Amino acid sequence: MMAEFAWLAETLMQRTIQMFILIVLPPMFIGIIVKLKAVAAGRKGPPIWQPYLDLARLSRKGVVYSTATGQVFRWAPLLVVASSITAGLIVPMAGFTAPIHFSGDLIVFAYVLALGRLAIILASLDTGSAFEGMGASREASFAALAEPTMFLILVSLGLLGHADPHKFGVEWSLTGTLAQMEMITWAHYGPALLPLSFALFVLILLENSRVPFDDPTTHLELTMIHEVMILDHSGPDLALMEYGAAVKLLVFQSLLGRIIFPHHFESQWADVVTFVIKIGVLSVCVTAVEVGMARLKMNRIPGILLGAFILAALSVVVMLVEMGEFRGLPS
Amino acid sequence: MNSMDEVLLHEFIDILLVAVLILDLLIVATRKLKSSVWMNASQAALLGLMPLLLTGGELEFHVVLMSVAILVVRGLVIPFVLLRSVRSAPVSVELRSLVDQATAVSLAAVLFGLSFALGINLPLPAAIPHFSDLLVPTALTTIMIGLLLLVIRTQALMQVIGYLTIENGIFLIGLALVRETPVVVELGILLDVFVGVFVMGIVLFHISQAFEHLDTTELSSLRD
């Protein structure tokens, strides 16, 4: 009885921590990126809690709806936030098991995120503005190009969980794979995890509309992708859109952070601190890319995405080789 | 050596091979001449470490000599010779290519697929210690990428890079026989490559003196 109670208390604790990380922390990492970029450019920059103030300011304001928009436009911001948070609940953060985990949740993860993207694309088409239509078309085409990469990455992770399923018991699940990862996993499957990490990093930049695929600070509608799609949103709706984007960035970063440094500490608080440090380091990496290079010309993006696709495919093949799938072929 | 060291050594070899593959991809994708020279050099340097690893960390004199010679010649001397001829000749730093970047990367993707499909089914004799299943596919891919570079790049210098990339691939296959090959043969090959690049550097210099450009598509018709 006591053991069950302790287990329940521990699980409740872990769930609370994960919800706290997922819901409260995301704007801070956006703030860190903005701050670091400003510092790198020799400016002082806003404080790292500025995004919270922005969100608070926006949510106090009223909403303006264009007469051209319909229900889709009103529902989209909620859907975007809901999809980001649901995806976040499938990813194990800070070394805990994820609140939602079942066999095959890899695919749910990919498509819940795709649902949020669908909502934002439909909302931007709903405004009837030519600029927003252009942004939607770019978002949709790059997403279509990035989807195979995403799936190969998930297949590779699924195979990793498949290789040693008895430890956690859930196959083809993000929790099953990532929760059982240790530093020793790198010693066994490092050759597959190396290209996978590169491909996932490219995917983080694309999925979250960062440089070199899109520039979150641009002011010219013709060059925007994500920003142009939320041009017509105002007040709390805009706050939700921005917040959803911040959560999505954190979800992707926690996925990569777990793969790159999968160490479990004795104490779970040490795990939580390491997790925050990992996300911070990844935010610095994202900033380094933004500082170091300019946005790419649109027609060069498919080439880069294809490169990421090759890396992800390489990761799957190498994973199979490391698992010994190709041993004992007729010579 | 205990079994954990054994595993780590094996994985280190595989990580090096994957790094070689990533460099293959980057060298096709890059648009700068200088970076392709350095990518090729770092690929060769990674391969230079391979003989040490494949013999399982037991340092034999001729293997160490070979590694050091490769690191110095392929990793430092050849890139400096090539970059010197870039500086002295009026070559643009932007690469000229028959196809655009996206097409080049797609062709590379096809070649990756082909080489892996072939290479996985071509296991070398299992007698070789610390032999990796990725070795043959990586070697084939590198050779194919070298051939691709020879075809799509139209600058004479990039043809040298293509040739050196093929050399990297051939070296990888040769690694399987590292213990059996006399050191004289290996060093002889290295000397050949070095002299070859040297001669090519001189030829590039003369072409640039005579024609003011190094575009191979313009060098196809002969006159006297």
Side-chain angles (χ1 to χ4, degrees), chain A residues 99-120:
Chain A
I100 305 177
H101 57 89
F102 50 87
S103 185
D105 65 14
L106 293 163
I107 296 181
V108 177
F109 174 76
Y111 278 109
V112 161
L113 284 172
L115 183 69
R117 170 176 274 134
L118 176 75
I120 197 171

Side-chain angles (χ1 to χ4, degrees), chain A residues 1-2 13 21 45 58-59 95 99 112 121 156 158 181 191 223 227 239 245 250 258 291 298:
Chain A
M1 192 63 199
M2 276 313 283
M13 185 77 175
I21 290 172
L58 283 173
S59 44
V112 161
I121 287 175
S156 192
M181 269 181 93
T223 62
E227 297 309 308
L250 180 94
R258 184 87 195 110
V291 170
M298 290 283 174

Side-chain angles (χ1 to χ4, degrees), chain A residues 187-188 191 300 322 326-327, chain B residues 11 14 18 101 106 120 133:
Chain A
H188 288 287
R300 284 191 58 195
E322 296 298 317
F326 296 107
R327 296 269 160 72
Chain B
E11 294 311 310
D14 278 4
V18 168
Q101 194 190 24
S106 338
I120 290 282
D133 288 336

Side-chain angles (χ1 to χ4, degrees), chain A residues 192-241:
Chain A
L193 294 174
L194 184 72
L196 185 134
S197 307
F198 279 113
L200 189 55
F201 187 68
V202 173
L203 212 61
I204 287 178
L205 296 179
L206 178 91
E207 290 275 339
N208 297 289
S209 311
R210 311 302 306 188
V211 177
F213 300 106
D214 186 10
D215 190 349
T217 57
T218 182
H219 293 291
L220 181 66
E221 290 93 335
L222 279 170
T223 62
M224 295 172 174
I225 299 176
H226 182 258
E227 297 309 308
V228 76
M229 290 197 297
I230 58 174
L231 267 187
D232 271 32
H233 291 273
S234 54
D237 279 1
L238 183 59
L240 283 177
M241 284 290 194

